[in-house]
Short mmCIF file of all heavy atoms in Angstrom, two decimals:
data_model
loop_
_atom_site.label_atom_id
_atom_site.label_comp_id
_atom_site.label_asym_id
_atom_site.label_seq_id
_atom_site.Cartn_x
_atom_site.Cartn_y
_atom_site.Cartn_z
N ALA C 307 3.92 -13.64 11.34
CA ALA C 307 4.82 -14.07 12.38
C ALA C 307 5.25 -15.49 11.99
O ALA C 307 4.51 -16.22 11.33
CB ALA C 307 4.21 -14.07 13.70
N ILE C 308 6.44 -15.86 12.28
CA ILE C 308 7.01 -17.21 12.15
C ILE C 308 7.01 -17.81 13.52
O ILE C 308 7.61 -17.24 14.39
CB ILE C 308 8.47 -17.24 11.60
CG1 ILE C 308 8.45 -16.54 10.15
CG2 ILE C 308 8.79 -18.76 11.35
CD1 ILE C 308 9.86 -16.42 9.68
N ARG C 309 6.19 -18.84 13.68
CA ARG C 309 6.00 -19.45 15.07
C ARG C 309 7.13 -20.41 15.36
O ARG C 309 7.57 -21.08 14.40
CB ARG C 309 4.63 -20.09 15.17
CG ARG C 309 3.48 -19.11 14.98
CD ARG C 309 2.19 -19.91 14.92
NE ARG C 309 1.06 -18.94 14.45
CZ ARG C 309 -0.07 -19.30 13.84
NH1 ARG C 309 -0.25 -20.72 13.60
NH2 ARG C 309 -0.91 -18.51 13.47
N LYS C 310 7.47 -20.51 16.57
CA LYS C 310 8.46 -21.48 17.00
C LYS C 310 7.91 -22.88 16.72
O LYS C 310 6.78 -23.27 16.96
CB LYS C 310 8.61 -21.36 18.50
CG LYS C 310 9.84 -22.14 19.10
CD LYS C 310 9.93 -21.75 20.66
CE LYS C 310 10.88 -22.72 21.27
NZ LYS C 310 12.30 -22.49 20.88
N GLY C 311 8.74 -23.69 16.04
CA GLY C 311 8.50 -24.98 15.72
C GLY C 311 7.73 -25.39 14.40
O GLY C 311 7.51 -26.61 14.02
N GLU C 312 7.37 -24.28 13.66
CA GLU C 312 6.54 -24.43 12.48
C GLU C 312 7.44 -24.42 11.19
O GLU C 312 8.49 -23.87 11.23
CB GLU C 312 5.35 -23.55 12.36
CG GLU C 312 5.80 -22.14 11.82
CD GLU C 312 4.55 -21.27 11.61
OE1 GLU C 312 3.46 -21.77 11.49
OE2 GLU C 312 4.70 -20.07 11.60
N ILE C 313 6.92 -25.05 10.19
CA ILE C 313 7.42 -24.78 8.81
C ILE C 313 6.33 -23.86 8.13
O ILE C 313 5.19 -24.34 7.78
CB ILE C 313 7.52 -26.07 8.03
CG1 ILE C 313 8.61 -27.01 8.79
CG2 ILE C 313 8.06 -25.78 6.63
CD1 ILE C 313 8.85 -28.29 7.97
N LEU C 314 6.78 -22.62 7.99
CA LEU C 314 5.84 -21.66 7.42
C LEU C 314 6.25 -21.56 5.89
O LEU C 314 7.34 -21.33 5.57
CB LEU C 314 5.97 -20.34 8.07
CG LEU C 314 5.15 -19.25 7.51
CD1 LEU C 314 3.66 -19.48 7.58
CD2 LEU C 314 5.48 -17.87 8.29
N GLY C 315 5.23 -21.83 5.06
CA GLY C 315 5.46 -21.62 3.63
C GLY C 315 5.19 -20.27 3.14
O GLY C 315 4.15 -19.60 3.67
N LEU C 316 5.96 -19.69 2.17
CA LEU C 316 5.62 -18.46 1.62
C LEU C 316 5.71 -18.70 0.07
O LEU C 316 6.70 -19.03 -0.55
CB LEU C 316 6.84 -17.46 1.97
CG LEU C 316 6.73 -16.08 1.28
CD1 LEU C 316 5.52 -15.31 1.65
CD2 LEU C 316 8.00 -15.22 1.76
N ALA C 317 4.42 -18.55 -0.52
CA ALA C 317 4.22 -18.89 -1.86
C ALA C 317 3.88 -17.69 -2.66
O ALA C 317 3.23 -16.86 -2.19
CB ALA C 317 3.20 -19.93 -2.01
N GLY C 318 4.41 -17.70 -3.92
CA GLY C 318 3.95 -16.55 -4.81
C GLY C 318 4.81 -16.71 -6.11
O GLY C 318 5.85 -17.36 -6.18
N GLU C 319 4.28 -16.02 -7.17
CA GLU C 319 5.00 -16.04 -8.35
C GLU C 319 6.38 -15.40 -8.36
O GLU C 319 6.60 -14.63 -7.40
CB GLU C 319 4.19 -15.29 -9.40
CG GLU C 319 2.96 -16.02 -9.93
CD GLU C 319 2.21 -15.16 -10.97
OE1 GLU C 319 1.81 -13.99 -10.54
OE2 GLU C 319 1.89 -15.67 -11.92
N SER C 320 7.17 -15.65 -9.31
CA SER C 320 8.44 -14.94 -9.51
C SER C 320 8.17 -13.46 -9.43
O SER C 320 7.32 -12.94 -10.18
CB SER C 320 9.05 -15.52 -10.72
OG SER C 320 10.19 -14.76 -10.93
N GLY C 321 8.89 -12.68 -8.70
CA GLY C 321 8.76 -11.24 -8.68
C GLY C 321 7.76 -10.72 -7.71
O GLY C 321 7.63 -9.56 -7.52
N SER C 322 7.14 -11.61 -6.91
CA SER C 322 6.15 -11.19 -5.97
C SER C 322 6.73 -10.56 -4.72
O SER C 322 6.00 -9.96 -3.87
CB SER C 322 5.12 -12.32 -5.63
OG SER C 322 5.87 -13.46 -5.14
N GLY C 323 8.10 -10.81 -4.50
CA GLY C 323 8.71 -10.33 -3.35
C GLY C 323 9.14 -11.20 -2.30
O GLY C 323 9.60 -10.78 -1.11
#
Side-chain angles (χ1 to χ4, degrees):
I308 306 172
R309 300 172 190 155
K310 191 177 169 69
E312 79 172 341
I313 300 181
L314 177 62
L316 177 60
E319 285 178 308
S320 177
S322 57

